[in-house]
Amino acid sequence: MRLSQIGELSLLEQIRTRFEKQSRTIIVGIGDDAAVVKQGDASLLVTTDMMVEGIHFDLSFTTPFQIGFKLVSVNVSDIFAMGGKPRYLLLSLAMDKNTETSFIDKFFDGVQQAIKLYGVSLIGGDLSSSKRLMSLSATLIGYTKKHIKRSGAKLGDKIYVTGTLGDSACGLILLKKIKRPIPLESYNERAQRAKSKTHRVQNNYTLLHALCSKLLEGGLSCNVVEPLLRKHLLTEARDPKEFVRYATSMIDISDGLLIDLSRLCDESKVGARIYSKKIPLSNELKEAASYLGISPIKLALSGGEDYELLFTAPANKQVKALHIGEITESERAMIDSSGKKRIFSAEGYQHFGIQR
Amino acid sequence: MRLSQIGELSLLEQIRTRFEKQSRTIIVGIGDDAAVVKQGDASLLVTTDMMVEGIHFDLSFTTPFQIGFKLVSVNVSDIFAMGGKPRYLLLSLAMDKNTETSFIDKFFDGVQQAIKLYGVSLIGGDLSSSKRLMSLSATLIGYTKKHIKRSGAKLGDKIYVTGTLGDSACGLILLKKIKRPIPLESYNERAQRAKSKTHRVQNNYTLLHALCSKLLEGGLSCNVVEPLLRKHLLTEARDPKEFVRYATSMIDISDGLLIDLSRLCDESKVGARIYSKKIPLSNELKEAASYLGISPIKLALSGGEDYELLFTAPANKQVKALHIGEITESERAMIDSSGKKRIFSAEGYQHFGIQR
């Protein structure tokens, strides 16, 4: 049998079963956003995430800065999703020996900007050559006094997300149409340098605007395109500190709302009811989706890589986040805009080619 | 400029400079066998090591079990080289979706046998598809009360290694001649199962013997070939517990004695004098090297992947290891068998195609 016949989730389940209960210092092992091990009176959180060329990124429309920035962000998102504070990063880079050193410099610019943003330190890693395609992997260590697992959701808890969904997936679709890297980071840096000189910001903005217009045949304004691209290319992980004390379960939305909500429900052994009217959609997503002729709600439900947090909290708590539904006993349903109930299943990205 | 024009060591140096001194909780950052961060009254050790198909292993002469076993061993070796105890493992696997699931099972058999051997627990990881070639990465976390850096060697310290050198490199040369995977692990398991039944062990041994004879045209006996292959394919990391209290500096020999000794000298800002007569060579290496028409001492000096430990200790301590030389002020010299002094430089494997 081949991997493509069993899929990522089933392989993960096999590995999890094989390596269950190895030591009593392991509080959370394989299968959550990060592992948790006992460490004095705090808990050590550890996560690892790969980015593989041709799978996670395409150099024909991603800059090396963006790859470095995102590699850090996706790992930070896993530590945040456990309620932790990220601290130490290790990087493993396998690259073709013909890679330009300027590429690597810009990659590390992205890593550096991201670790500064999150207060993380790079402490080690490994360098290797590769045959042709690049393969990048990061491990991030964090700490927490109280970790939030996927498995703590209780009947009656409310379900929340931390921001609009579908923007990243829409950004990716636009990028595939634009078919070239958009160095949003340099636009950003230029804008910052010129903070007090309004006409220079204006000039840069006009430049980006012209680029968008030309590339998308004027169908969408730069004001719409830029935030969607940014969400995909320069994702920032969400720090849960404002509501973490109330969260009963949490996961980050990396593969899509429905698949990640299903994972949370699986682990918590509960159901969920969400309301399509409550799913937060940005105005930019609505406008771009209309231009592209696709359903914005579909992107919000099944599009991956938003890296917003999805969590549950008791119904009686005042939580600073966007309420999208409630935990139920077992039924997993979405109430659509006409009030009709539809049962949902785990839709979203899965490696090795299986969708379930 | 391309990576192949600057090489692995120079890239590493650039990264190290860029990310220096980020936090006072980091005791050892980039550039040693593992990073060390303050953690209560103990120190947390963290290391990461990749294995990339076509670079670190070739499926036409390595079994999946051996890849899994070795991926754990090379990381354990880095924790041991800091004087630590390995504890928690994370794995990142990028594999083609057409990979056979039986391949993955056997890979995890190797991982499982290795983590049992070292008392390590698998606590997490990441799974991804890849285009064609496999890319594997592991991160290992360990603890120590007293860490041993590369930089502690003092003038007058004696230099030691923990075992014979060059065996792994010779095993690799033999393997490239044999041109097929040798499932040493199943020979091993069968032998263990049949411990009390001598004739069955004998039968299996005869089988392996026949295989060796046929493949190497009878030029080398199985008794010679098997340990060399085993050293390359099923390397076991060396636990330094018997001498760790005396060690002033330590590194594991992954890239070759001369390159790793040079690294230790660079970090300690000292020189070294070693004696070719004292370099430990196995009888199997001598016999196989003679058959192959190559110099066994050259393999011992520049061949990689022995994963023995190289360390220094004060001259007045009784150390259970093999003495090969002394730390000097700055000169890096080898005294050859005729008593002649030769200056050595860092010879060994470097990624991205530069040898210096």
Side-chain angles (χ1 to χ4, degrees):
Chain A
M1 212 187 312
R2 291 170 190 276
L3 265 183
S4 55
Q5 292 166 279
I6 66 163
E8 180 188 356
L9 294 186
S10 147
L11 173 60
L12 180 61
E13 206 43 50
Q14 281 176 27
I15 298 170
R16 194 173 171 174
T17 308
R18 188 199 268 251
F19 293 97
E20 241 168 6
K21 297 197 181 71
Q22 301 165 94
S23 155
R24 58 185 180 76
T25 59
I26 303 170
I27 302 167
V28 180
I30 297 164
D32 215 306
D33 294 291
V36 185
V37 295
K38 211 171 137 65
Q39 183 50 46
D41 62 344
S43 299
L44 196 69
L45 300 171
V46 203
T47 186
T48 188
D49 252 316
M50 264 179 301
M51 283 174 57
V52 179
E53 185 178 350
I55 305 290
H56 299 89
F57 63 89
D58 183 332
L59 291 179
S60 58
F61 48 80
T62 321
T63 68
F65 181 101
Q66 289 160 1
I67 296 168
F69 191 93
K70 192 164 182 174
L71 184 57
V72 177
S73 281
V74 300
N75 278 282
V76 168
S77 182
D78 279 327
I79 296 292
F80 280 164
M82 298 299 288
K85 189 173 159 36
R87 284 298 286 122
Y88 303 114
L89 179 73
L90 292 99
L91 291 179
S92 286
L93 315 177
M95 288 173 297
D96 188 288
K97 64 177 185 200
N98 291 317
T99 307
E100 290 286 341
T101 54
S102 62
F103 180 97
I104 300 171
D105 280 345
K106 285 172 198 154
F107 168 82
F108 277 107
D109 285 343
V111 168
Q112 202 165 18
Q113 188 150 321
I115 66 177
K116 202 175 150 194
L117 175 69
Y118 301 117
V120 164
S121 302
L122 180 68
I123 59 166
D126 191 22
L127 298 171
S128 167
S129 35
S130 76
K131 302 271 182 194
R132 217 165 60 88
L133 294 179
M134 207 171 286
S135 173
L136 313 169
S137 163
T139 299
L140 187 60
I141 297 176
Y143 293 97
T144 184
K145 297 241 159 174
K146 180 200 167 199
H147 62 273
I148 316 289
K149 294 200 286 185
R150 296 179 179 179
S151 61
K154 296 276 175 300
L155 181 64
D157 279 357
K158 285 188 174 178
I159 303 172
Y160 298 89
V161 292
T162 51
T164 59
L165 301 179
D167 294 343
S168 176
C170 187
L172 177 60
I173 295 170
L174 291 170
L175 207 50
K176 285 181 176 170
K177 285 192 176 291
I178 293 171
K179 286 195 191 95
R180 54 156 285 179
I182 308 286
L184 294 170
E185 61 277 14
S186 55
Y187 166 63
N188 212 20
E189 281 166 23
R190 276 197 309 252
Q192 279 184 336
R193 263 204 304 274
K195 238 174 202 164
S196 56
K197 298 171 191 167
T198 319
H199 73 282
R200 282 197 52 201
V201 177
Q202 193 56 43
N203 282 347
N204 286 318
Y205 190 78
T206 310
L207 196 73
L208 190 73
H209 183 79
L211 193 66
C212 286
S213 307
K214 197 181 145 206
L215 292 167
L216 294 165
E217 294 157 358
L220 281 176
S221 103
C222 175
N223 302 350
V224 171
V225 174
E226 199 267 355
L228 298 172
L229 294 182
R230 185 170 294 278
K231 183 79 179 185
H232 184 74
L233 294 170
L234 290 171
T235 314
E236 291 185 18
R238 292 286 182 181
D239 190 334
K241 65 181 176 206
E242 294 210 353
F243 53 80
V244 72
R245 64 188 180 285
Y246 301 130
T248 52
S249 71
M250 187 151 60
I251 186 171
D252 70 332
I253 305 178
S254 53
D255 292 339
L257 175 63
L258 293 188
I259 197 171
D260 288 316
L261 178 55
S262 297
R263 283 172 177 154
L264 188 145
C265 288
D266 287 344
E267 294 299 320
S268 296
K269 298 186 175 62
V270 295
R273 183 191 303 115
I274 57 174
Y275 303 90
S276 74
K277 270 198 299 195
K278 287 179 173 266
I279 307 293
L281 305 176
S282 69
N283 290 331
E284 292 83 2
L285 173 66
K286 288 180 200 161
E287 194 168 325
S290 150
Y291 167 79
L292 295 164
I294 44 181
S295 150
I297 191 81
K298 195 171 158 53
L299 287 177
L301 294 173
S302 308
E305 303 200 287
D306 278 314
Y307 295 102
E308 295 293 342
L309 295 171
L310 168 69
F311 67 98
T312 57
N316 61 352
K317 302 289 180 193
Q318 284 287 340
V319 177
K320 275 194 190 170
L322 305 158
H323 171 222
I324 62 163
E326 293 89 37
I327 293 296
T328 61
E329 199 155 340
S330 62
E331 192 182 69
R332 298 177 188 185
M334 188 173 74
I335 311 301
D336 74 14
S337 51
S338 63
K340 230 179 93 182
K341 184 159 81 177
R342 286 173 37 200
I343 300 305
F344 69 80
S345 61
E347 285 175 41
Y349 189 74
Q350 206 190 125
H351 283 289
F352 314 123
I354 295 237
Q355 304 280 336
R356 78 165 189 195
Chain B
M1 210 187 311
R2 292 171 190 277
L3 265 184
S4 56
Q5 293 166 280
I6 66 163
E8 180 188 358
L9 294 186
S10 146
L11 173 60
L12 179 61
E13 206 42 50
Q14 282 177 27
I15 298 170
R16 195 173 169 173
T17 308
R18 189 199 269 251
F19 293 97
E20 241 168 5
K21 296 199 182 70
Q22 301 165 95
S23 156
R24 60 186 176 73
T25 59
I26 303 171
I27 303 168
V28 180
I30 296 165
D32 216 306
D33 294 290
V36 184
V37 296
K38 213 171 134 67
Q39 182 51 46
D41 61 345
S43 298
L44 198 67
L45 300 172
V46 203
T47 187
T48 188
D49 252 316
M50 265 179 300
M51 283 174 56
V52 179
E53 186 178 350
I55 304 291
H56 298 88
F57 62 90
D58 184 332
L59 291 179
S60 58
F61 50 78
T62 321
T63 68
F65 181 101
Q66 290 159 0
I67 296 168
F69 191 93
K70 192 163 182 173
L71 183 58
V72 178
S73 281
V74 300
N75 279 282
V76 168
S77 182
D78 279 328
I79 296 293
F80 280 163
M82 298 300 287
K85 190 175 157 35
R87 284 298 287 120
Y88 302 114
L89 179 75
L90 292 99
L91 291 178
S92 286
L93 315 178
M95 288 173 297
D96 189 287
K97 64 177 185 202
N98 292 316
T99 308
E100 289 287 340
T101 54
S102 62
F103 179 98
I104 299 170
D105 281 345
K106 284 172 199 155
F107 168 82
F108 276 107
D109 284 344
V111 168
Q112 203 165 16
Q113 187 151 321
I115 67 178
K116 203 175 150 195
L117 175 69
Y118 301 117
V120 164
S121 302
L122 180 69
I123 59 167
D126 191 21
L127 297 171
S128 168
S129 35
S130 76
K131 302 270 183 194
R132 217 166 59 88
L133 293 179
M134 207 170 286
S135 173
L136 313 170
S137 162
T139 299
L140 186 61
I141 297 175
Y143 293 97
T144 184
K145 297 241 159 171
K146 179 201 168 200
H147 61 272
I148 316 289
K149 295 200 283 184
R150 295 179 181 179
S151 62
K154 297 277 176 295
L155 181 64
D157 279 359
K158 286 188 174 178
I159 305 171
Y160 298 89
V161 293
T162 51
T164 59
L165 302 179
D167 295 342
S168 176
C170 188
L172 177 60
I173 295 171
L174 290 171
L175 207 51
K176 285 181 176 170
K177 286 193 176 290
I178 293 172
K179 286 195 190 99
R180 54 158 287 181
I182 308 286
L184 292 170
E185 61 276 14
S186 55
Y187 166 63
N188 211 20
E189 280 166 25
R190 276 197 308 251
Q192 278 183 338
R193 262 205 306 272
K195 241 176 200 163
S196 56
K197 297 171 194 167
T198 318
H199 74 283
R200 282 196 54 200
V201 177
Q202 192 57 43
N203 282 348
N204 285 319
Y205 189 77
T206 310
L207 195 73
L208 190 72
H209 183 79
L211 194 66
C212 285
S213 307
K214 196 179 146 209
L215 292 167
L216 294 164
E217 295 156 359
L220 282 176
S221 103
C222 175
N223 302 351
V224 171
V225 174
E226 200 267 356
L228 297 171
L229 295 182
R230 185 170 294 277
K231 183 77 180 188
H232 185 73
L233 296 170
L234 289 171
T235 313
E236 292 186 18
R238 292 284 183 182
D239 190 334
K241 65 181 177 208
E242 294 210 353
F243 53 80
V244 73
R245 65 188 180 285
Y246 300 131
T248 51
S249 71
M250 188 152 57
I251 186 171
D252 70 332
I253 306 178
S254 53
D255 292 340
L257 174 63
L258 293 187
I259 199 170
D260 289 317
L261 178 56
S262 298
R263 284 172 177 154
L264 189 145
C265 287
D266 287 345
E267 295 299 321
S268 295
K269 299 185 174 64
V270 294
R273 185 190 303 116
I274 57 173
Y275 304 90
S276 75
K277 270 197 299 196
K278 286 178 174 268
I279 307 294
L281 305 176
S282 70
N283 290 331
E284 291 84 2
L285 173 66
K286 288 181 201 162
E287 193 170 327
S290 151
Y291 168 80
L292 295 164
I294 43 181
S295 151
I297 192 81
K298 196 170 159 54
L299 288 177
L301 293 173
S302 308
E305 302 201 288
D306 278 314
Y307 295 102
E308 295 293 342
L309 295 171
L310 169 68
F311 68 99
T312 56
N316 61 351
K317 301 288 180 196
Q318 284 288 343
V319 178
K320 275 194 191 168
L322 304 159
H323 171 223
I324 62 163
E326 293 88 37
I327 292 296
T328 61
E329 200 155 339
S330 62
E331 191 182 67
R332 298 178 189 184
M334 188 173 75
I335 311 300
D336 73 14
S337 50
S338 63
K340 230 177 96 183
K341 184 159 79 176
R342 286 172 38 200
I343 301 304
F344 69 80
S345 62
E347 285 174 41
Y349 189 75
Q350 208 190 124
H351 283 289
F352 314 125
I354 294 238
Q355 304 282 333
R356 78 162 186 196

